[in-house]
């Protein structure tokens, strides 16, 4: 049987002397058929520590990579389990070389999953998660994002292996002895392996997981620290969550600030060094002094010379030298760190991508949305327009007319729609953006404005210049957002799941309380007003050809507590499928400088108001017809528009001049089951109600 733990002496990594090497392997051949692994072996356990029950894995002979036996995992629930088998590695390792491998076979049409735990206490911190999706896609990630995406063979045995240099934070994945790539991990530590049958729908899985595991092994070769040694630990640009160097991504031609993490891999403190980077033949250098980096601690160097991103794959190389002014340190092999930088995204002309985030002060995971929305704003100014749509019964920044229809597109919070496409996690905004920013828009948008500080009236013009073809079902809309929004009431306090670093770093929220006091919070990109509504106004007639120019005017009155210097104007062009084709974004000052252009007036501005007693809809849900009740205080012309989730208009009716209490029957005969929007226009007042047809 190949089941053993032993220590031996071997040459350590990087020529650092003799080291005790820990090695383990298990091929499951010596177990009794049907035995529970954690119950039969002292080397395995389960997540809860209970062996021999539903968490444990059994030895089977239905499949094997070698010999006749393996262990089997199966789950039919979308949440996975209940099996949850754990292999402790005998300690928490953050130095030395760690190698892990096993053979797997995943049933065709099913998925698999395992993770590396960072700490000996299971559940403290996930170092890396491996999602094997039924399509043959493998995703390596943790709470700070995706590190590597590749493919694996389905329906056959294959070998998956990790070689991890914990000194320099270089993780390499191999499948069937072929490298799939390397990466630096924000959690550079391993303590155990956790195998859990799940195929998460969040990552594109189908909720079905069936797989076998055989020939498991790991080896850890420790590292002995010399007196003076500095190593390049990570290379890249600052990750918004960890605020440490991560992968460099962006648009061709953009500038990116370069950073490197230096680790003290010696005994003596590091007080100074020289460091430089090279990308596309252009260097950046720095002399760093006045430090006191303790043994095994790290320090981040931010170069003052940015790099201009070029198309293709090019290496970024960082080299450290003259540590503590003593010339060459004890180990030259870790003095250089190299990261391949692949840049392919070229933005389309006049393209601005609009991203809408569902958030709320009640939502403990929403700090993740705030961090990544700010990151997108900072990293892609001129290409990105972000809108934070607040949700919640006691949410002081909630714009109900925006939140009500938008929340119907989300399965949870925080959730993001980029150009109103498929819902994604804030962690994935950047990759979605990089795809969509390359798509040529149908029209370019230019904002103009006039601003009257006395009446606080903002008149906006959005001019649409078409380079493609549209039709009468395309729509226009305008949104105002505000940055640096704060308040003193408890409603402005932010729930925070990242408190005390419980879920890993998240842009500084890991250092804040579980309920961040209002005094410590400033909210950006807050949706303040929209006109005419979430779905926009269908203002085009017939076919709109390339070369056509249309201008639409929107009018807003800003409340006194809004800071006009923090307001952004976002124009939208919405296509006939309900997705945002293109956007525009300016400050009020920029729009005023562009100049206001008279055009077609778009009436109906939706911004915060008290409880709505003006319009009600009943019964709701309805299985037949519904009734619309109006309680009008003034005489006005009334019209009603009914649309579906895609923004398609199903019926329109003008009731003429009305006043007082009114009852109108809404005919839903022929409507499919689902959610609909009833937009009521009463003069200059526009109200939208949701109607559910069962």
């Amino acid at each position: 049987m190949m089941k053993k733990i032993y220590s031996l002496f071997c040459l350590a990594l990087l020529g650092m002397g003799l080291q005790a090497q820990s090695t383990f392997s298990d091929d499951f051949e010596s177990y009794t058929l049907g035995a529970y692994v954690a119950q039969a072996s002292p080397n395995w356990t389960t997540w809860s520590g209970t062996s021999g029950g539903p968490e444990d894995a059994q030895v089977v002979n239905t499949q094997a990579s070698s010999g006749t036996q393996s262990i089997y995992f199966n789950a039919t629930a979308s949440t996975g389990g209940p099996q949850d088998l754990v292999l402790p590695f005998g300690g928490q390792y953050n130095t030395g070389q760690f190698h892990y491998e096993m053979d797997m076979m995943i049933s065709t049409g099913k998925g698999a999953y395992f993770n590396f735990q960072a700490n000996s206490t299971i559940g403290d911190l996930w170092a890396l998660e491996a999602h094997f999706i039924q399509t043959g896609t493998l995703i390596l990630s943790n709470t700070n994002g995706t590190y590597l995406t590749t493919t694996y063979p389905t329906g056959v045995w294959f070998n998956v292996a990790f070689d991890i240099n914990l000194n320099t934070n270089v993780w390499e994945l191999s499948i069937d002895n072929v490298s799939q790539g390397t990466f630096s991990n924000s959690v550079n530590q391993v303590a155990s392996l956790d195998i859990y049958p799940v195929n998460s729908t969040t990552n594109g899985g189908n909720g079905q997981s069936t797989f076998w595991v055989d020939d498991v092994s790991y080896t850890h070769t420790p590292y002995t620290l010399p007196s003076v040694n500095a190593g390049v630990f990570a290379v890249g640009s600052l990750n918004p969550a960890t605020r440490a160097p991560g992968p460099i991504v962006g648009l061709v031609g953009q500038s990116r600030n370069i950073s490197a993490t230096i680790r003290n891999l010696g005994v003596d403190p590091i007080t100074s060094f020289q460091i430089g980077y090279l990308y596309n033949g252009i260097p950046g250098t720095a002399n760093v002094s006045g430090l006191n980096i303790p043994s095994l601690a790290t320090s981040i160097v931010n170069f003052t010379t940015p790099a201009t991103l070029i198309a293709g794959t090019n290496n970024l190389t960082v080299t450290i030298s003259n540590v503590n002014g003593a010339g060459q340190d004890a180990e030259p092999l870790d003095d250089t760190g190299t990261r391949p930088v692949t840049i392919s995204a070229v933005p389309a002309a006049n393209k601005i991508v609009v991203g809408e985030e569902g958030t709320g002060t009640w939502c403990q995971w929403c700090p993740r949305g705030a961090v990544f929305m700010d990151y997108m704003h900072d990293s892609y100014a001129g290409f990105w327009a972000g809108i934070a749509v607040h949700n919640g019964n006691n949410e002081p920044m909630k714009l109900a007319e925006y939140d009500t229809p938008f929340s119907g597109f989300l399965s949870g919070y925080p959730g993001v729609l980029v150009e109103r496409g498929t819902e994604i996690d804030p962690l994935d905004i950047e990759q979605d953006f990089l795809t969509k920013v390359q798509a040529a828009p149908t029209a370019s948008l230019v904002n103009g404005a006039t601003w009257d500080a006395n009446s606080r009236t903002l008149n906006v013009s959005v001019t649409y210049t078409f380079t493609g073809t549209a039709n009468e079902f395309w729509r226009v809309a305008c949104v105002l957002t505000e940055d640096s929004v704060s308040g003193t009431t408890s409603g402005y306090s932010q729930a925070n799941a990242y408190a005390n670093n419980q879920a890993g770093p998240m842009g500084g929220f890991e250092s804040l309380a579980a309920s961040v006091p209002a005094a410590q919070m400033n909210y950006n990109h807050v949706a303040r007003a929209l006109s005419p509504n979430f779905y926009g106004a269908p203002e085009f007639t017939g076919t709109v050809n390339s070369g056509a120019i249309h201008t639409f005017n929107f009018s807003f009155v800003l409340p006194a507590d809004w800071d006009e210097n923090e307001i952004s104007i976002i124009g939208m062009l919405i296509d006939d499928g309900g997705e945002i084709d293109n956007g525009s974004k300016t400050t009020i000052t920029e729009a005023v400088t562009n100049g206001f252009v008279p055009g077609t007036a778009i009436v109906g501005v939706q911004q915060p108001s008290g409880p709505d007693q003006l319009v009600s809809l009943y019964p709701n849900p309805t299985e037949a017809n519904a009734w619309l009740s109006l309680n009008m205080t003034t005489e006005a012309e009334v019209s009603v528009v009914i649309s579906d989730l895609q923004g398609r208009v199903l019926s329109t009716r003008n009731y003429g001049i009305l006043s007082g209490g009114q009852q109108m029957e809404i005919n839903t005969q022929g409507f499919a089951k689902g959610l609909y929007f009833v937009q009521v226009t009463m003069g200059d007042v526009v109200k939208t109600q949701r109607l559910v047809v069962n």
Side-chain angles (χ1 to χ4, degrees), residues 255-525:
S255 291
R256 281 289 180 265
N257 293 321
I258 303 301
S259 300
T261 300
I262 303 306
R263 190 180 192 191
N264 184 352
L265 294 169
V267 175
D268 298 343
I270 292 176
T271 58
S272 66
F273 52 82
Q274 293 176 316
I275 191 169
Y277 82 80
L278 186 68
Y279 172 74
N280 188 30
I282 300 174
T285 59
N287 292 315
V288 182
S289 60
L291 303 176
N292 185 17
I293 308 174
S295 178
L296 295 181
T298 60
S299 180
I300 296 175
V301 176
N302 298 310
F303 291 94
T304 57
T305 304
T308 300
L309 302 182
I310 61 172
T313 299
N314 298 273
N315 284 338
L316 168 66
T317 301
V318 172
T319 303
I320 188 172
S321 61
N322 199 27
V323 179
N324 291 351
Q328 179 65 61
D329 64 14
E331 182 45 65
L333 293 180
D334 58 21
D335 290 346
T336 298
T338 299
R339 176 185 290 278
V341 179
T342 301
I343 304 296
S344 59
V346 178
N350 303 311
K351 176 76 173 195
I352 293 185
V353 176
V354 177
E356 298 161 298
E357 175 217 7
T359 187
T361 59
W362 56 270
C363 166
Q364 63 176 347
W365 297 105
C366 285
R368 181 166 74 247
V371 168
F372 279 87
M373 288 287 280
D374 283 348
Y375 168 75
M376 292 299 297
H377 170 80
D378 295 340
S379 299
Y380 296 102
F383 302 99
W384 168 260
I387 303 169
V389 183
H390 283 253
N391 168 274
N393 292 333
N394 299 313
E395 171 64 65
M397 292 166 285
K398 177 179 178 179
L399 178 55
E401 292 85 352
Y402 207 143
D403 171 61
T404 297
F406 180 66
S407 62
F409 288 85
L410 302 181
S411 61
Y413 286 78
V416 177
L417 302 184
V418 178
E419 295 187 339
R420 295 192 184 165
T422 303
E423 179 189 4
I424 59 173
D425 188 275
L427 292 169
D428 301 319
I429 296 177
E430 188 168 29
Q431 289 304 317
D432 203 358
F433 161 82
L434 288 173
T435 297
K436 291 176 177 173
V437 76
Q438 300 180 71
T442 304
S444 61
L445 283 61
V446 176
N447 294 345
T450 62
W451 165 245
D452 187 328
N454 293 321
S455 66
R456 299 189 63 78
T457 299
L458 174 65
N459 291 316
V460 175
S461 65
V462 182
T463 299
Y464 298 74
T465 301
F466 282 82
T467 53
T469 302
N471 58 48
E472 68 269 24
F473 298 109
W474 288 54
R475 294 168 173 248
V476 298
C478 185
V479 175
L480 300 185
T481 64
E482 185 179 4
D483 291 337
S484 299
V485 177
S486 61
T488 58
T489 64
S490 60
Y492 287 91
S493 299
Q494 177 65 58
N496 178 25
Y498 297 92
N500 302 313
N501 207 31
Q502 293 181 96
M506 187 48 65
F509 278 93
E510 69 275 9
S511 301
L512 300 176
S515 178
V516 185
Q520 293 181 260
M521 289 301 304
N522 279 293
Y523 297 89
N524 294 326
H525 327 295

Side-chain angles (χ1 to χ4, degrees), residues 195-208:
I195 307 176
Y196 182 73
V198 71
N199 189 15
S200 172
T201 55
T202 303
N203 292 291
N206 60 10
Q208 303 292 307

